[in-house]
Structures are given as C-alpha cells and as structure tokens.
Amino acid sequence: ILAAKRKAVDHALKVALETKAGDLSETDAQHDGLGGAIWHFTEAVLCQPFVAVERREAARRIRDAFIPDLSVLSDSYADEAAAAKANRPKLEALEAELRMLPTPDGHTLYEWALAFVDKGDELARKLAARTQGSALEAFRQQTALRVTTIGLIGRFRASLRDELKENPALPATIEADLFSGLDGLSQRRAE
C-alpha cells in the first residue's frame, strides 16, 4: 500500500510541475518570440535610411503601440496577458500600417502582431484555467493523498510498535531505522 501511495505522490508532483511550468512557459516563449520579432523588424525599418518616411513612421507607431521596449517581454505572465487585452484594439487601429510592412515569410506585420496578441490571450486563458476549477480540484486531490498517506504511515508505525511488544526477537532499533528519515523531515518542518 505504501509503494502505491508513493507512486501516487510522485505522479501528483509530476502533474503539478507540468501544469505550472510547461504549458505556460511554451505559450510564453511563443508570445515573446513573436514580440521580439516585431521589435527587431521595426528596428530594421527604423534604421534603414532608404525606407520611405511613411513606412518608418508606421514602424515607429507599431513599436510604440505593441513593443515599446524589449523588457516588456520579460514581464510576468499576468502582465503580458493584460497587455494582450490592451493590444487587441490596437490591431484594428493600426491595421493599415501593419499591412504595409511585408515580412520575410511572405505575410505582413499584421499577421505577426495578430499572432502576438493571440498568444497573449492564450496565456491569459491558461492562467485563468490554472487558478480556477482545475487547480482547486488538483489541490483537493493532493490534500486527500497527503492526509491518507500520513494516516497510513501512522497506522503502520503503531502496528510496528505492537509487533515489537509481542515479538522481542525483532531488533530494538527497527522503528528508528525505518522512520528516521520521516522523523528528520518532521523535525525540520517543525523548526
């Protein structure tokens, strides 16, 4: 039974870590990659001396609206998600400027900006899902697993003590040998 409980605890930890980091970090990496591409693209347009003035001004407005500074791409998930919500109306307002700048992949900067905002919205949805029902249910399951496992260990220890009373041939240090690791953890937690 203890081996099965340990397997369940290991699985719960793995799922919790994957839920916290993996899904959000992948979406964030795509969001930040798109934002970096937009910033560097507008930087290239602004630096190139032979680009038409109206295109350079469009690039400046786009940068100011979406990625005024690369540091915004290292903001928290929540801040980036909130920025995406604020950026959605800017897509429509700057659509003409975004569409006048062709990108190397055969699209326009509009598609890049749309994907950037979409990834920000996706980040917001995943954050909300993580903090709502699924996270609460996972917490309940983890709490139940913790309580039942601790109870099982306590019952095992009590049974071992009963066995030691009835069977003096067992080593006197068996309880300390078996539970020293757990006792150490409990001591450190108490401290």
Side-chain angles (χ1 to χ4, degrees):
I1 294 172
L2 283 173
K5 288 291 185 184
R6 179 179 178 180
K7 196 179 239 183
V9 168
D10 288 344
H11 176 72
L13 286 172
K14 181 181 175 195
V15 167
L17 290 173
E18 287 173 356
T19 301
K20 282 187 175 182
D23 203 24
L24 287 173
S25 64
E26 182 180 333
T27 302
D28 181 57
Q30 293 170 350
H31 173 266
D32 293 351
L34 287 160
I38 292 168
W39 191 90
H40 287 290
F41 184 90
T42 57
E43 179 69 9
V45 171
L46 291 169
C47 289
Q48 214 281 359
F50 302 115
V51 170
V53 172
E54 66 271 1
R55 287 179 187 254
R56 287 178 31 184
E57 287 304 314
R60 187 179 323 283
R61 284 190 295 276
I62 291 164
R63 177 188 284 180
D64 290 347
F66 293 101
I67 312 286
D69 186 85
L70 281 174
S71 66
V72 300
L73 299 176
S74 59
D75 286 349
S76 71
Y77 294 154
D79 289 342
E80 288 182 359
K85 185 175 182 178
N87 285 337
R88 178 74 55 194
K90 297 174 189 176
L91 283 170
E92 186 177 328
L94 294 169
E95 184 174 357
E97 287 97 336
L98 288 161
R99 289 196 185 277
M100 81 167 55
L101 297 169
T103 56
D105 60 358
H107 297 287
T108 65
L109 203 53
Y110 179 80
E111 283 82 14
W112 287 12
L114 177 61
F116 173 68
V117 172
D118 286 347
K119 284 297 173 183
D121 287 343
E122 183 180 336
L123 198 58
R125 285 190 304 276
K126 288 180 177 180
L127 275 172
R130 192 174 96 179
T131 58
Q132 289 176 350
S134 61
L136 181 59
E137 183 57 33
F139 175 75
R140 285 182 182 152
Q141 290 174 355
Q142 291 166 4
T143 300
L145 179 60
R146 180 180 181 273
V147 168
T148 59
T149 302
I150 289 171
L152 181 63
I153 291 169
R155 290 191 308 277
F156 175 63
R157 191 172 203 163
S159 295
L160 180 63
R161 286 178 180 158
D162 290 343
E163 186 67 28
L164 281 168
K165 286 179 190 173
E166 296 295 321
N167 190 349
L170 290 172
T173 61
I174 193 167
E175 181 182 357
D177 293 342
L178 289 173
F179 291 96
S180 62
L182 290 173
D183 291 343
L185 287 173
S186 293
Q187 180 65 32
R188 282 191 296 259
R189 185 171 190 212
E191 290 170 358

